[in-house]
Amino acid sequence: MPAKKQNTSSFISPPLGAEGLHSPLGAEGLHSPLGAGGHFISVNDVSDINSLVAKALAYKQNPLKDKSLGTNKRIGLLFLNPSLRTRLSTQVAAQNLGIEAIVFNVDKEGWALEFEEGAIMSGNTVEHVKDAAPILGNYFDILCIRTFPSLKHREDDYSEMVINQFLKYARVPVISLESATLHPLQSLTDLITIVEHSVQPVPNVSKPLYANIPNPKIVLTWAPHVKPLPQCVANSFSQWINAWGKAEFVITHPADYELAEQFTKGATITHNQDEALKDADFVYVKNWSTYNDYGKIYSNDPQWMLTKDKLKLTDNARVMHCLPVRRNVELSDEILDSPNSIVTQQAANRVWAAQAVIAELLPRP
Ligand code: CP
């Protein structure tokens, strides 16, 4: 295990709250922290991560500062799968920007969509995405889509056909609300939460625990679960923390739970959870199913659930989870209900992540 980095440079300068984090570039439109692609599907669509985080934190300080930005604009939120946080936080974010948000539960209320090119549609699918997506692109200024993987065929899931077909045919900016392999708005939220806990005092504690951690140690740990879950959150978190490049990043999981190297490359990976947790500043808890023998549960070892005893190995770490969480399976009550847990604040930050991204992608007159 590499020694904790001693670099004294702060990862965003000056480290003094959201206004202090506000970069002179990017956050006020001198250049966009998003790349030229005009979509938000992964961290590869972000040209300046710190500016995007700063923009989100500025919205947290003043949610309605751009309340007229989206006047007469409309955003479509398409859900092919269930959601609580993503759905509601994106609606609130749009409302803060003066944008009308329309939610469409495609899986329950829409025609069954076909995504395969050249499909002979004699089965259950009723409408091809190449017909539906351009229509949606006419109705909306931005289109947001949530879809889950099948967890049956890895190549199909990792080809990201659903989101890619919308990118191809919608002709408007597309935001991923979680795709088959990634969850970028969640990961941006996670980074916002890490940054604000790293550079600001934690309220209601006598001694600030995280006044300024220049290179936080972040541990992503696998946790048990009763159902096979996607790898999206873990993939995406790994991709963002690696791209951010300001943390000592360790991933720990049982043997056979390796994630795709394209997302984890750069992280230290160990099967020894106790070793990984040592001196951690942040512990991100998440279950995922197997990647190699795709979509399976190999182990449900309860020893992998984070407990107070395990937390003693850390540097009084903040504990994160994207939610929803299965209590006392994936994460214990004693952790979730302790002051170390920041999962509620993390989920609340979903609004600011969505607001920053929508504001950047909103077509300007
Ligand atoms: N974390 C997350 O995406 O939550 P929902 O599934 O409730 O949207």
Side-chain angles (χ1 to χ4, degrees), residues 113-227:
L113 290 176
E114 175 62 56
F115 292 94
E116 287 279 354
E117 296 288 344
I120 299 169
M121 291 171 53
S122 56
N124 293 331
T125 56
V126 177
E127 180 161 26
H128 203 284
V129 67
K130 69 162 72 171
D131 299 313
I135 296 165
L136 296 167
N138 270 288
Y139 296 161
F140 299 112
D141 298 286
I142 296 177
L143 201 52
C144 307
I145 296 132
R146 163 169 278 204
T147 181
F148 285 170
S150 68
L151 292 180
K152 291 190 177 82
H153 308 293
R154 189 176 78 187
E155 285 68 32
D156 289 352
D157 287 345
Y158 275 69
S159 76
E160 291 282 14
M161 183 191 282
V162 172
I163 208 97
N164 282 330
Q165 291 291 64
F166 277 106
L167 286 176
K168 186 171 171 187
Y169 292 117
R171 301 178 197 148
V172 291
V174 172
I175 296 175
S176 167
L177 300 177
E178 187 169 353
S179 69
T181 66
L182 295 171
H183 197 351
L185 279 177
Q186 179 68 54
S187 308
L188 173 58
T189 303
D190 300 336
L191 191 51
I192 291 164
T193 309
I194 287 168
V195 167
E196 68 179 352
H197 271 272
S198 297
V199 299
Q200 292 179 328
V202 178
N204 305 322
V205 290
S206 52
K207 182 166 153 260
L209 297 174
Y210 291 95
N212 187 2
I213 306 167
N215 298 90
K217 179 173 176 181
I218 301 173
V219 177
L220 169 63
T221 180
W222 183 91
H225 203 284
V226 290
K227 291 176 74 175

Side-chain angles (χ1 to χ4, degrees), residues 299-330:
S299 153
N300 236 343
D301 185 353
Q303 293 298 321
W304 275 82
M305 186 176 73
L306 193 65
T307 57
K308 276 215 156 161
D309 269 349
K310 288 186 190 220
L311 207 61
K312 286 180 189 154
L313 297 165
T314 71
D315 192 3
N316 197 18
R318 307 289 98 180
V319 178
M320 304 176 70
H321 188 287
C322 64
L323 306 181
V325 63
R326 294 224 182 197
R327 280 178 175 254
N328 304 311
V329 175
E330 213 180 347

Side-chain angles (χ1 to χ4, degrees), residues 16-316:
L16 292 172
E19 289 307 319
L21 293 169
H22 215 236
S23 163
L25 288 179
E28 296 299 350
L30 293 180
H31 78 245
S32 171
L34 296 188
H39 304 287
F40 186 77
I41 306 301
S42 79
V43 77
N44 297 329
D45 293 310
V46 183
S47 56
D48 186 339
I49 294 175
N50 287 333
S51 284
L52 192 60
V53 169
K55 185 175 179 100
L57 285 171
Y59 278 132
K60 183 167 185 169
Q61 284 207 333
N62 188 358
L64 298 180
K65 75 190 189 79
D66 286 333
K67 66 179 183 211
S68 303
L69 191 71
T71 303
N72 300 326
K73 303 285 186 203
R74 204 175 291 123
I75 191 167
L77 312 182
L78 266 57
F79 285 84
L80 286 87
N81 300 95
S83 167
L84 186 153
R85 280 145 291 269
T86 307
R87 173 176 171 151
L88 296 174
S89 64
T90 311
Q91 280 182 279
V92 172
Q95 206 167 56
N96 286 346
L97 294 167
I99 305 170
E100 183 183 2
I102 295 180
V103 176
F104 185 37
N105 296 312
V106 184
D107 57 331
K108 296 183 187 71
E109 296 153 358
W111 300 115
L113 290 176
E114 175 62 56
F115 292 94
E116 287 279 354
E117 296 288 344
I120 299 169
M121 291 171 53
S122 56
N124 293 331
T125 56
V126 177
E127 180 161 26
H128 203 284
V129 67
K130 69 162 72 171
D131 299 313
I135 296 165
L136 296 167
N138 270 288
Y139 296 161
F140 299 112
D141 298 286
I142 296 177
L143 201 52
C144 307
I145 296 132
R146 163 169 278 204
T147 181
F148 285 170
S150 68
L151 292 180
K152 291 190 177 82
H153 308 293
R154 189 176 78 187
E155 285 68 32
D156 289 352
D157 287 345
Y158 275 69
S159 76
E160 291 282 14
M161 183 191 282
V162 172
I163 208 97
N164 282 330
Q165 291 291 64
F166 277 106
L167 286 176
K168 186 171 171 187
Y169 292 117
R171 301 178 197 148
V172 291
V174 172
I175 296 175
S176 167
L177 300 177
E178 187 169 353
S179 69
T181 66
L182 295 171
H183 197 351
L185 279 177
Q186 179 68 54
S187 308
L188 173 58
T189 303
D190 300 336
L191 191 51
I192 291 164
T193 309
I194 287 168
V195 167
E196 68 179 352
H197 271 272
S198 297
V199 299
Q200 292 179 328
V202 178
N204 305 322
V205 290
S206 52
K207 182 166 153 260
L209 297 174
Y210 291 95
N212 187 2
I213 306 167
N215 298 90
K217 179 173 176 181
I218 301 173
V219 177
L220 169 63
T221 180
W222 183 91
H225 203 284
V226 290
K227 291 176 74 175
L229 295 191
Q231 293 108 33
C232 315
V233 170
N235 283 345
S236 194
F237 185 73
S238 302
Q239 189 187 38
W240 278 73
I241 298 301
N242 279 327
W244 187 50
K246 307 293 183 190
E248 179 192 340
F249 183 36
V250 180
I251 303 172
T252 183
H253 55 72
D256 300 319
Y257 277 90
E258 285 74 21
L259 294 162
E261 199 189 357
Q262 61 175 307
F263 305 119
T264 60
K265 200 166 184 201
T268 301
I269 299 172
T270 172
H271 298 158
N272 186 331
Q273 191 189 41
D274 285 356
E275 191 183 319
L277 291 172
K278 199 163 177 300
D279 299 328
D281 298 301
F282 296 90
V283 181
Y284 199 105
V285 179
K286 186 71 186 87
N287 170 269
W288 60 87
S289 59
T290 53
Y291 170 74
N292 288 322
D293 181 20
Y294 190 58
K296 305 277 191 315
I297 297 180
Y298 270 21
S299 153
N300 236 343
D301 185 353
Q303 293 298 321
W304 275 82
M305 186 176 73
L306 193 65
T307 57
K308 276 215 156 161
D309 269 349
K310 288 186 190 220
L311 207 61
K312 286 180 189 154
L313 297 165
T314 71
D315 192 3
N316 197 18

